[in-house]
């Protein structure tokens, strides 16, 4: 059963005779079909976000208690705004294309549609993302809302302003309309996989910290699926990739995770003994839990000049850094990456 609306054979682009009017599209948003579509869409998000959060906390000992209530409130509001906008955009896109194919048993067609739309979306998102960060006007009005969260969690994943959701959603039109990747099941799989990857990327579990690195230094790791694509990712090809271990500020913001995960092109492992520790200090040194990180945490570039050991020994006074009870010069730094 497909959630495609009754107007699916109409198009805004394929001629005047079968073109859906703006009135038709507006009316479709008040139908049972849209209600079912939006409900299923939200259900998928809530289930995935809850499951990923539970895995992060239980299995990987991720500590989300360093998030302020004001951040969580803001992210809930923005998620309601941005994610609902996504649902509206996707429903309109279904009406926008007149060439949808519905053969879910045609595995080859579904696979081609999935892979093709994924690649097209990755390119669209990467260059859109770079544009947002390179233009002050676009950053302020399109993307800055998402970056108000310096410390990320699954709720951060889709906490966007409505205008960013509209911009990103246009990337889902390019594949089916211009390149013929229009098997609707492959297209559905892309939209759901993007949601899944976004939630994973903000969860702080192994390998996902590469996107958290982007929240720490804005000009790095701008693509989707970059860590999965290895050396051929757009980020690596265009020199905007950085591992978390290469960004000293990550040791301030995500110390436990940075010290616990080794995840790169050559090695993938989790140091399970480190998961329960707050800092990478000598075991004889007792340290407090990390302080809360404020929404107003300064995003200055001075952090990038810190070395690994100076990061361990010199950040106690900064927000979000562990505060050790012993004199800082006595702490032994044991970087593992």
């Amino acid at each position: 059963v497909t959630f495609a609306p009754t107007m699916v054979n109409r198009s805004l682009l394929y001629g005047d005779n079968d073109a859906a009017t703006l009135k038709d599209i507006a009316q479709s948003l008040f139908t049972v079909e849209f209600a079912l579509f939006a409900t299923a869409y939200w259900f998928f998000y809530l289930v995935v976000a809850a499951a990923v959060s539970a895995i992060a906390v239980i299995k990987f000992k991720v500590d989300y208690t360093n998030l302020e209530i004001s951040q969580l409130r803001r992210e809930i509001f923005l998620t309601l705004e941005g994610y609902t906008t996504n649902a509206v955009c996707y429903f309109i896109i279904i009406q926008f294309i007149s060439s949808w194919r519905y053969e879910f048993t045609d595995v080859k067609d579904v696979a081609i549609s999935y892979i093709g739309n994924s690649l097209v979306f990755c390119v669209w998102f990467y260059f859109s993302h770079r544009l947002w960060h390179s233009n002050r006007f676009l950053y302020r009005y399109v993307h800055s809302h998402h970056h108000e969260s310096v410390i990320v969690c699954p709720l951060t994943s889709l906490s966007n302003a409505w205008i960013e959701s509209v911009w990103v959603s246009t990337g889902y039109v390019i594949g089916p309309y211009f390149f013929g990747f229009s098997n609707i099941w492959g297209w559905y799989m892309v939209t759901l996989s993007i949601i899944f990857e976004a939630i994973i990327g903000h969860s702080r579990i192994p390998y996902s910290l590469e996107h958290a690195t982007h929240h720490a230094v804005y000009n790095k790791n701008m693509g989707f699926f970059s860590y999965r694509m290895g050396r051929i990712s757009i980020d690596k090809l265009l020199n905007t990739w950085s591992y978390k271990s290469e960004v000293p500020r990550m040791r301030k913001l995500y110390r436990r995770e940075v010290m616990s995960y080794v995840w790169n092109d050559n090695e993938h492992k989790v140091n399970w003994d480190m998961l329960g520790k707050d800092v990478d200090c000598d075991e004889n040194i007792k340290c407090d839990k990390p302080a809360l990180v404020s929404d107003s945490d300064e995003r200055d570039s001075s952090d990038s000049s810190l070395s690994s050991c100076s990061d361990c020994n010199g950040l106690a006074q900064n927000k979000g850094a562990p505060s050790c009870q012993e004199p800082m010069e006595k702490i032994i730094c044991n970087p593992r990456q």
Side-chain angles (χ1 to χ4, degrees):
V1 178
T2 177
F3 287 109
T6 54
M7 295 191 300
V8 73
N9 290 325
R10 300 186 180 184
S11 169
L12 292 175
L13 297 178
Y14 284 88
D16 296 332
N17 294 331
D18 61 353
T21 65
L22 292 177
K23 181 180 179 180
D24 290 333
I25 292 177
Q27 290 177 343
S28 73
L29 299 178
F30 297 92
T31 62
V32 174
E33 289 171 318
F34 175 71
L36 291 173
F37 181 87
T39 300
Y41 193 64
W42 269 102
F43 180 77
F44 178 81
Y45 169 79
L46 293 173
V47 169
V48 173
V52 170
S53 299
I55 292 172
V57 171
I58 296 172
K59 185 175 180 63
F60 296 105
K61 312 300 181 185
V62 175
D63 183 9
Y64 293 129
T65 61
N66 61 340
L67 300 171
E68 286 192 338
I69 297 299
S70 59
Q71 174 180 334
L72 297 177
R73 288 174 179 168
R74 184 188 69 251
E75 290 178 347
I76 290 173
F77 176 80
L78 286 172
T79 300
L80 289 171
E81 175 184 335
Y83 199 69
T84 301
T85 302
N86 281 337
V88 172
C89 290
Y90 295 169
F91 195 73
I92 291 175
I93 290 172
I94 292 172
Q95 303 171 68
F96 193 83
I97 306 297
S98 67
S99 57
W100 290 119
R101 298 186 297 275
Y102 296 93
E103 297 79 12
F104 65 87
T105 56
D106 189 343
V107 177
K108 180 180 179 181
D109 190 37
V110 172
I112 291 175
S113 183
Y114 173 76
I115 295 172
N117 281 301
S118 295
L119 292 175
V120 169
F121 179 83
C122 285
V123 174
W124 169 260
F125 182 83
Y126 176 84
F127 286 104
S128 295
H129 203 177
R130 286 197 70 167
L131 180 62
W132 299 336
H133 280 281
S134 61
N135 183 288
R136 290 190 176 185
F137 178 84
L138 291 178
Y139 179 79
R140 179 178 180 181
Y141 292 102
V142 177
H143 193 51
S144 63
H145 310 77
H146 184 69
H147 277 283
E148 288 184 42
S149 299
V150 181
I151 298 291
V152 299
C153 67
L155 192 58
T156 313
S157 57
L158 297 166
S159 58
N160 308 318
W162 69 269
I163 190 171
E164 179 175 344
S165 295
V166 172
W167 187 314
V168 171
S169 296
T170 57
Y172 293 107
V173 179
I174 300 172
Y177 183 71
F178 292 101
F179 296 98
F181 303 130
S182 52
N183 184 295
I184 201 166
W185 300 106
W187 184 84
Y188 279 146
M189 289 170 60
V190 172
T191 61
L192 297 180
S193 66
I194 292 298
I195 298 169
F196 180 80
E197 290 291 333
I199 294 172
I200 289 288
H202 294 82
S203 66
R204 307 191 217 169
I205 65 174
Y207 74 73
S208 71
L209 283 189
E210 310 313 337
H211 181 72
T213 302
H214 172 68
H215 282 255
V217 285
Y218 299 162
N219 61 344
K220 295 294 184 180
N221 300 1
M222 297 186 181
F224 242 100
F225 299 118
S226 287
Y227 59 87
R228 291 188 183 275
M229 299 177 72
R231 292 179 175 85
I232 64 170
S233 71
I234 300 179
D235 273 306
K236 292 181 180 178
L237 293 175
L238 298 182
N239 198 32
T240 54
W241 176 260
S242 179
Y243 289 108
K244 62 183 181 297
S245 56
E246 298 170 350
V247 178
R249 193 171 191 234
M250 289 295 289
R251 294 179 181 272
K252 167 189 173 183
L253 299 175
Y254 305 98
R255 182 173 303 282
R256 177 189 294 179
E257 291 87 352
V258 167
M259 297 304 181
S260 301
Y261 310 151
V262 177
W263 220 266
N264 53 51
D265 290 337
N266 303 314
E267 191 175 11
H268 303 81
K269 68 179 182 180
V270 177
N271 186 337
W272 298 100
D273 294 334
M274 283 298 300
L275 287 179
K277 298 182 179 180
D278 290 324
V279 297
D280 189 33
C281 298
D282 185 88
E283 292 184 358
N284 295 322
I285 302 295
K286 295 182 179 180
C287 295
D288 299 330
K289 291 184 178 180
L292 290 176
V293 177
S294 171
D295 288 341
S296 60
D297 180 34
E298 292 296 330
R299 303 169 175 86
D300 54 52
S301 59
S302 60
D303 290 344
S304 61
S305 63
L306 296 172
S307 65
S308 297
C309 271
S310 65
D311 223 11
C312 186
N313 293 332
L315 287 174
Q317 304 304 318
N318 292 332
K319 293 181 180 180
S323 174
C324 290
Q325 298 169 351
E326 296 291 330
M328 296 307 293
E329 62 269 14
K330 293 183 179 181
I331 296 178
I332 301 173
C333 190
N334 300 306
R336 286 171 168 75
Q337 297 186 55

